């Protein structure tokens, strides 16, 4: 094959969650963009890594930007809806997610997507990145984005990065260890998981799952002991009788010798093979314990063989660039007496997931980062600053995956799919603006970037976490801009002063107000304790006597539920999630 040379405004290396969002956003802004990916699916964690039950940014107020647009497309395309599991409010067939991203890319004539290539060399002029060489091509670009799963461009370009733990003495993080120890040595980063998709065949006819080398069934014993088999399977239940197997308790997280991922290509291949076998052995264990009704799903991922395995592992941590600023644990924890984290004045993305760390066989405790909201526990909202996307010295490069400038401790909250998609969208917009204005990323005024994200004509993205302001509300843009101008007035409860009644509705792609397809029930409301509600149905008769946990993702429903009395008669409209007996409330009346 002839080695080709391309020229672009923006080069995105890596087709994961952040890279896909970045390339789409840069091209939608008008930049000539090239996206080079290793795998034939775009979307990374959301698709090719098989984690099609994403965590975080689940509240409707946070369903903005490309993340919100992705959820809307899933709702349109996924038969039966997204209420299938209990680890997430959104679970879907990964093939549908991959098709959405492929369709979005195909719609953009100024976006060239090239697959099957990994970066081999980074070109620099002085301290500025100006291009990347792959096996079959070279791309020269004004702005390059490192969207690889493990921060590969950082290593290739000798850009300073972090890998592993920081001690408490580094930044005073409450959960950081005082000294390096057995845990920090054994697991320098969080464990990846090679997701496998299983299927309910309805009877004991599933093909036998063979064990892989190094099989040790004892390591999986008790995996679902505290949950029961049905609840274990419902954890990552997907539509169509499928199950996402991404189980952290004596399951298929794998971290033995995880440092091999960044040592040599040979040690990386060795680790990946072991990680793959570990998931195969867990699937083998599940079938042996639960019966041949459960087997490996076929034709899920585009492998020639093993199409039930994700295309690559779900990486929870990466090389992390040393940036102009670093997100630390203090930056993601709630303000004293408040429900939100401190507001970054150069915020470009929002997140709200808890700080979740994975070390097989080890329970590592971090400072609480959660709140009771909408009848359930959710994470404290926080923001991602633009400066953590910019290397401390190198120009012409932005990062937009799990490789942002973040501490090992805080990475447990910044690594999740929706926030990485938001980071990618911001990085893509920043890259396009740098081309427009002929600026390096470090010289781009952050307010210009914030305004561009808020006013994007395709998928406006929130900058300020406002719990009671939905993006469809006519006052949404006003309050986003208001707190950008007056950040000191941002309230510790995460609310803005007014709430519009239009939050009771959804908006379709044509911006016409519609009401979701929901079911209505009459029954008795039970106020168990603060932010803990149940509902016993009296009508319709088919559900009479059943009691459901009440939860909501809508701010005005959250406020209403707090005012109802125990044993009050109510009419509730919403969606049932049978995986955990949730009734997800969208409207309620006396």
């Amino acid at each position: 094959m002839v080695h080709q040379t391309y020229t672009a405004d923006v080069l995105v290396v890596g087709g994961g969650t952040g890279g896909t969002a970045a390339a789409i956003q840069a091209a939608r802004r008008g930049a000539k963009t090239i996206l080079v990916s290793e795998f034939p699916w775009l979307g990374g964690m959301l698709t090719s890594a098989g984690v099609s039950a994403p965590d975080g940014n689940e509240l409707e107020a946070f369903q903005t930007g490309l993340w919100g647009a992705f959820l809307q497309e899933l709702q349109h395309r996924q038969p039966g809806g997204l209420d299938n599991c209990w680890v997430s409010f959104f679970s879907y067939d990964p093939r549908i997610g991959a098709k959405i991203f492929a369709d979005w890319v195909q719609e953009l004539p100024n976006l060239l997507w090239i697959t099957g290539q990994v970066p081999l060399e980074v070109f620099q002029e002085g301290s500025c990145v100006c291009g990347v060489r792959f096996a079959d091509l070279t791309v020269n670009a004004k702005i390059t984005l490192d969207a690889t799963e493990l921060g590969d461009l950082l290593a290739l370009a000798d850009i300073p990065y972090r890998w592993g733990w920081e001690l408490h003495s580094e930044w005073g993080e409450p959960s950081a260890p005082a000294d390096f120890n057995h845990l920090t040595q054994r697991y320098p980063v969080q464990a990846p998981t090679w997701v496998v998709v299983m299927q309910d065949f309805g009877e004991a006819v599933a093909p036998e799952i063979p064990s892989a080398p190094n099989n040790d069934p004892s390591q999986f014993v008790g995996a679902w002991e505290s949950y029961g088999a049905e609840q274990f399977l419902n954890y990552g239940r997907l539509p169509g009788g499928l199950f996402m197997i991404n189980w952290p308790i004596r399951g298929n997280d794998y971290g033995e010798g995880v440092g091999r991922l960044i040592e040599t290509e040979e040690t990386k291949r060795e680790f990946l093979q072991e990680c793959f076998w570990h998931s195969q052995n867990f699937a083998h264990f599940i079938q042996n314990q639960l019966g041949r009704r459960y087997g490996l799903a076929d034709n899920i991922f585009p492998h020639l063989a093993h199409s039930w395995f994700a295309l690559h592992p779900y990486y929870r941590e990466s090389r992390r660039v040393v940036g102009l600023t670093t997100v630390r644990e203090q930056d993601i924890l709630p303000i004293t007496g408040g429900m939100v984290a401190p507001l970054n004045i150069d915020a470009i993305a929002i997140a709200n997931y808890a700080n979740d760390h994975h070390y097989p066989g080890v329970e590592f405790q971090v400072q609480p980062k959660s709140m009771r909201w909408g009848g359930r526990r959710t994470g404290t909202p926080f923001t991602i600053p633009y400066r953590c996307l910019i290397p401390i010295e190198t120009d012409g490069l932005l990062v937009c995956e799990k490789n942002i400038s973040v501490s090992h401790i805080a990475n447990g909250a910044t690594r999740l799919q929706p926030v990485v998609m938001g980071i990618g969208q911001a990085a893509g917009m920043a890259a396009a603006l740098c081309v427009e204005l002929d600026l390096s990323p470090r010289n781009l005024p952050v307010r210009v970037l914030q305004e561009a994200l808020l006013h994007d004509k395709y998928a406006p993205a929130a900058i300020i976490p406002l719990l009671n302001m939905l993006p469809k509300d006519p006052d949404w843009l006003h309050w986003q801009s208001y707190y950008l101008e007056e950040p000191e007035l941002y309230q510790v409860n995460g609310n803005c002063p007014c709430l519009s009644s239009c939050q009771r509705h959804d908006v379709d792609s044509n911006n016409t107000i519609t009401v979701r397809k929901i079911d209505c029930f009459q029954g008795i409301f039970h106020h168990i304790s603060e932010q803990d509600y149940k509902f016993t149905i009296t009508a319709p008769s088919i559900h009479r006597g059943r009691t459901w946990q009440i939860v909501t993702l809508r701010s005005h429903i959250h406020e209403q539920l707090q005012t109802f009395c125990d044993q009050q008669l109510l009419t509730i409209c919403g969606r049932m999630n049978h995986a955990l007996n949730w009734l997800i409330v969208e409207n309620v009346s006396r």
Side-chain angles (χ1 to χ4, degrees), residues 198-207 233 237 240-243 287 290-297:
M198 297 185 68
Q199 179 177 340
D200 182 353
F201 283 74
E203 51 187 273
V205 298
L233 291 171
R237 182 182 285 273
L242 302 177
F243 306 98
Q287 187 180 65
L290 302 184
R292 289 278 290 275
R293 172 177 177 173
Y294 302 103
L296 296 172

Side-chain angles (χ1 to χ4, degrees), residues 395-407:
D395 285 319
L397 181 80
L398 288 163
V399 298
C400 63
E401 252 290 338
K402 294 171 286 283
N403 54 357
I404 64 172
S405 186
V406 58
S407 73

Side-chain angles (χ1 to χ4, degrees), residues 9 17 28 40 71 170 177 196 314 340 349 514 525 539 554-555 559 566 581 583:
D9 294 327
T17 303
R28 284 180 175 178
L71 290 181
E170 182 83 18
V196 57
Y314 170 29
V340 293
T514 60
F525 175 78
R554 320 194 87 181
S555 57
E559 298 292 341
D566 188 46
N581 289 334
L583 180 55

Side-chain angles (χ1 to χ4, degrees), residues 524-535 549-550 558-568 570:
I524 303 168
F525 175 78
H526 306 285
H527 196 142
I528 308 300
S529 61
E530 184 180 2
Q531 293 299 314
D532 185 5
Y533 317 112
K534 293 186 185 298
F535 186 69
Q549 185 77 31
I550 290 179
H558 162 75
E559 298 292 341
Q560 280 183 283
L561 292 175
Q562 297 176 76
T563 67
F564 296 137
C565 300
D566 188 46
Q567 303 297 311
Q568 188 167 350
L570 296 177

